Amino acid sequence: MSITKRLKAVGPGAMVAAAFIGPGTVTTASVTGAEFGYALLWTMVFSIVATIVLQEMSARLGLVSGEGLGEALRERFDNQIVEYVSIFLVVGAIGVGTAAYEAGNILGGAAGLATITGIDSTVWGVVMGLVAGLLLYTGRYKLIERALIGLVAVMAFSFVASAILIGPDPGAIAMGFVPGIPSGSLYLITGLIGTTIVGYNLFLHASNVQERWSGPDDIGHSRIDTVLSIVAGGVITITIMVTAAAAFEPGTQISDIGRMAEQLRPIAGPYAELFFSIGIFAAGFTSATTAPLAGAWATTGALGWDSDMQSTQFRAVWGTILGVGVLSVLLGGSPVQIIVFAQVVNGILLPIVAVFLIYAMNQRDLLGEYTNGSIANALGVIVTLVVVWLGVRTLLSVAGVL
């Protein structure tokens, strides 16, 4: 297949990349680079591979079964108690969770615009919410996909440009891909993996491939799309880490991504600051758009509602998620208690969804000849074990044990 045809296949996977490269990823990658230099670049190699493994399964499930992950999760169990628990977890972690983090997505993107324009981030936050709402309200998947692909391209150019302008050490970058765990870095390793393997992206991918393609015959296109998009997203995260590693002395503490953009000016000039700020905006806006979309697909699927993008129920779900985010911005911050709740339920949900995904991918009555092979299952089990570890650490962290 030619390069042109491969690029034309890019779409649903790019939306997944747009979703996981949000303000949280920018912050985590920036903090990691500033504190530990290039030492943890290898973590992103594992994160990229692990994400490709799970997202490929999710996309294949959607294309072959014609169901979203929420619908599959609800319909595979005969026991009503198990069914109700799965519905609660999906609606709680994905629906409420995306709403809780939506404020962070909007504020993160607004911070980038505020750095460029000097206008208060609250104003930009409201504007971003309105624009994202208008884009989603069209209900036109191709329009939304193209807009997000364009923003991912802007994000990639911006962060790569800032990384080049900062003048990193190629030798040190190469050494960063040699696995090692510096003292005190485990929490950031967990964070980097956790911001790349995102639970709601599994729901997003199983549904959005059905908007782009028609069935099993397109699995090849979907795989190309998934690999290219996730690798591109991982490279963007790596460039953010490289920028921070080159800009600051190891051990530097960064608490605000907008401030990091400002700190690049005296080191690499105004263009590095400008590019990085544009990248932050793109990261925030793409996540602010994909999170409500993923939440709507997951929630409507789990509850058995109409999942058509132009249906009233679908619009009501994403509208609520987006509305909570904008309201939180106007009130001056994100709702802490809801975020804690979302962390707890997400910590429980992601391992359960990963286990269910492996289970579903081995059901011949659901997937026929497209069930997992032994290699796919082995990789899935390894990734699932890591996801379980992430979930346990999340719960222990929220409980104050870690």
Side-chain angles (χ1 to χ4, degrees):
M1 185 181 290
S2 67
I3 293 177
T4 302
K5 287 184 178 179
R6 289 175 188 267
L7 292 176
K8 283 183 178 179
V10 171
M15 292 180 70
V16 170
F20 75 69
I21 311 170
T25 300
V26 176
T27 301
T28 304
S30 299
V31 169
T32 302
E35 191 165 345
F36 292 100
Y38 305 101
L40 297 181
L41 290 176
W42 64 269
T43 304
M44 284 309 302
V45 176
F46 172 81
S47 299
I48 291 168
V49 173
T51 303
I52 288 172
V53 168
L54 291 182
Q55 295 296 157
E56 187 280 331
M57 291 184 194
S58 177
R60 182 158 34 107
L61 174 69
L63 283 174
V64 177
S65 70
E67 296 180 343
L69 189 54
E71 296 155 293
L73 190 62
R74 175 172 52 85
E75 294 175 0
R76 296 305 291 179
F77 300 110
D78 294 328
N79 188 301
Q80 276 198 329
I81 295 176
V82 176
E83 180 184 339
Y84 290 149
V85 169
S86 67
I87 291 173
F88 168 77
L89 287 171
V90 170
V91 175
I94 307 301
V96 177
T98 49
Y101 291 118
E102 185 68 356
N105 293 332
I106 294 173
L107 283 172
L113 291 175
T115 301
I116 297 169
T117 64
I119 298 174
D120 187 77
S121 60
T122 302
V123 175
W124 282 121
V126 174
V127 172
M128 282 180 56
L130 291 173
V131 174
L134 288 172
L135 183 60
L136 291 172
Y137 190 79
T138 64
R140 295 168 58 189
Y141 174 78
K142 287 186 177 180
L143 174 64
I144 296 170
E145 180 186 89
R146 287 170 184 167
L148 292 176
I149 289 174
L151 282 169
V152 169
V154 168
M155 201 189 319
F157 174 79
S158 299
F159 286 130
V160 170
S162 62
I164 292 172
L165 287 170
I166 208 74
D169 180 353
I173 292 175
M175 289 302 296
F177 290 104
V178 178
I181 303 177
S183 176
S185 66
L186 192 59
Y187 79 102
L188 283 173
I189 292 174
T190 305
L192 285 171
I193 297 172
T195 58
T196 309
I197 307 173
V198 181
Y200 69 68
N201 271 345
L202 299 175
F203 292 86
L204 176 67
H205 211 176
S207 294
N208 72 0
V209 290
Q210 297 177 54
E211 298 286 342
R212 176 67 178 269
W213 295 299
S214 58
D217 290 343
D218 291 310
I219 287 177
H221 294 297
S222 176
R223 283 177 175 156
I224 292 170
D225 168 47
T226 299
V227 173
L228 289 179
S229 299
I230 302 303
V231 169
V235 169
I236 290 172
T237 304
I238 288 171
T239 62
I240 298 168
M241 294 172 65
V242 166
T243 300
F248 305 106
E249 291 294 325
T252 301
Q253 301 291 319
I254 292 178
S255 59
D256 183 84
I257 52 177
R259 190 171 300 161
M260 178 180 171
E262 294 170 3
Q263 289 173 324
L264 292 177
R265 177 184 287 270
I267 300 170
Y271 290 111
E273 177 195 27
L274 174 65
F275 286 135
F276 200 82
S277 298
I278 291 172
I280 292 172
F281 155 69
F285 186 83
T286 53
S287 292
T289 305
T290 51
L293 198 57
W297 265 319
T299 302
T300 54
L303 295 175
W305 293 353
D306 188 350
S307 293
D308 184 273
M309 292 181 66
Q310 296 187 10
S311 73
T312 301
Q313 291 173 322
F314 191 88
R315 284 173 169 166
V317 176
W318 68 249
T320 300
I321 294 170
L322 188 60
V324 169
V326 173
L327 181 61
S328 297
V329 169
L330 291 172
L331 294 176
S334 58
V336 177
Q337 290 182 336
I338 296 180
I339 288 177
V340 170
F341 170 77
Q343 285 179 326
V344 171
V345 184
N346 267 311
I348 299 170
L349 179 73
L350 184 54
I352 290 175
V353 172
V355 170
F356 170 75
L357 190 56
I358 302 294
Y359 165 78
M361 298 309 296
N362 285 276
Q363 301 302 301
R364 288 207 168 271
D365 63 324
L366 182 67
L367 297 174
E369 64 182 290
Y370 298 99
T371 55
N372 274 356
S374 56
I375 294 177
N377 278 329
L379 291 173
V381 168
I382 293 171
V383 173
T384 300
L385 290 174
V386 174
V387 164
V388 170
W389 171 60
L390 287 173
V392 171
R393 280 190 63 83
T394 300
L395 295 176
L396 293 177
S397 177
V398 169
V401 176
L402 295 177

